[in-house]
Amino acid sequence: MSRKQWIQIILINVFITLIILSPFLPGPNSFSKITNTIHTIAQLIGIVTIITIPVSIIITIRKGIRKQKISLYMLLSWIIPIIIFCVSIYGSYPARNFSRKIAIDHATPVIEAIEGYYQVHKKYPNQLSELVPGFLSKIPATGIMGISTYEYERRENSFAIIFSQNVILGFNKEIVSYDPRYHYSSDDEANQVFPAGNDKWQYYILD
């Protein structure tokens, strides 16, 4: 295989990896719908095409044994499905850890503004829009392409900041939430909860 083919394969795989993991990469959250759709389709393709990989590999090996020319297309016929499967199924976990941290960091001004609102009004706001413009010039973006926005819940003597991420095929979602007084919802209590790495943040997988 020539050096040119190696370079082409590497570039193609890097491009595919970035596309698949796009919901977990920094960028405008206006792309949340399209990036999550792409990720879900990639997972489906990875699951379906995994059964074709052994056949493509066997054909490639036979061509090599017979010293026949192995085309770039033949190599990509099994390399791309492997990349799609591995990245979409296994690569999304560390990618979610990465994006979760960024989205949590971007929520800090919102939390500070809510607490500032409480100090002034002796109650928490009913919705985030009440923070603008007195406490925030605008509601900060999540900073992640696949996380559309922060959701807000006013709870008894507390509040929650919530965002979600795609896990498997759009059916399973990772729910990440912050509550300063740990007054969690029924969904929080019904699922196994994990610490999100920051004080008073947690997450769980919603089936």
Side-chain angles (χ1 to χ4, degrees), residues 19 50 57 68 72 94 98 100 103 120 123-124 127 147 152 165 178:
I19 292 297
I50 194 69
I57 291 177
Q68 296 176 334
L72 179 64
F98 170 77
R100 185 192 312 123
V120 173
K123 65 176 184 177
Y124 289 114
Q127 52 193 9
I147 303 176
Y152 172 78
Q165 299 193 90
Y178 170 92

Side-chain angles (χ1 to χ4, degrees), residues 27-194:
N29 51 10
S30 57
F31 292 159
S32 63
K33 187 173 182 178
I34 187 171
T35 54
N36 280 296
T37 299
I38 290 172
H39 183 72
T40 297
I41 292 173
Q43 287 183 321
L44 283 171
I45 292 174
I47 293 170
V48 171
T49 59
I50 194 69
I51 60 176
T52 69
I53 292 174
V55 176
S56 299
I57 291 177
I58 290 171
I59 294 174
T60 303
I61 292 174
R62 284 182 176 179
K63 282 182 173 290
I65 293 174
R66 296 171 183 174
K67 296 183 179 180
Q68 296 176 334
K69 183 179 179 181
I70 301 175
S71 67
L72 179 64
Y73 174 79
M74 175 60 66
L75 293 171
L76 293 176
S77 68
W78 56 270
I79 292 176
I80 288 179
I82 289 176
I83 293 297
I84 291 176
F85 180 82
C86 291
V87 172
S88 62
I89 302 301
Y90 300 107
S92 58
Y93 177 75
R96 286 202 314 274
N97 291 339
F98 170 77
S99 58
R100 185 192 312 123
K101 184 180 185 306
I102 291 179
I104 287 175
D105 290 343
H106 279 234
T108 300
V110 181
I111 295 170
E112 292 175 348
I114 292 171
E115 294 293 357
Y117 183 99
Y118 183 85
Q119 293 299 319
V120 173
H121 299 283
K122 306 306 178 185
K123 65 176 184 177
Y124 289 114
N126 294 314
Q127 52 193 9
L128 291 182
S129 60
E130 295 177 25
L131 301 174
V132 181
F135 299 88
L136 286 171
S137 58
K138 63 178 181 178
I139 304 301
T142 62
I144 297 296
M145 285 193 282
I147 303 176
S148 59
T149 187
Y150 296 112
E151 297 179 17
Y152 172 78
E153 290 182 8
R154 181 180 174 182
R155 297 172 175 174
E156 184 178 358
N157 299 320
S158 189
F159 68 92
I161 299 294
I162 305 166
F163 63 87
S164 62
Q165 299 193 90
N166 191 354
V167 177
I168 300 177
L169 303 177
F171 297 111
N172 292 64
K173 291 187 177 182
E174 177 187 279
I175 309 299
V176 187
S177 64
Y178 170 92
D179 187 310
R181 292 169 179 79
Y182 298 101
H183 295 165
Y184 297 129
S185 68
S186 57
D187 281 340
D188 297 337
E189 297 171 354
N191 293 275
Q192 184 177 4
V193 175
F194 304 94

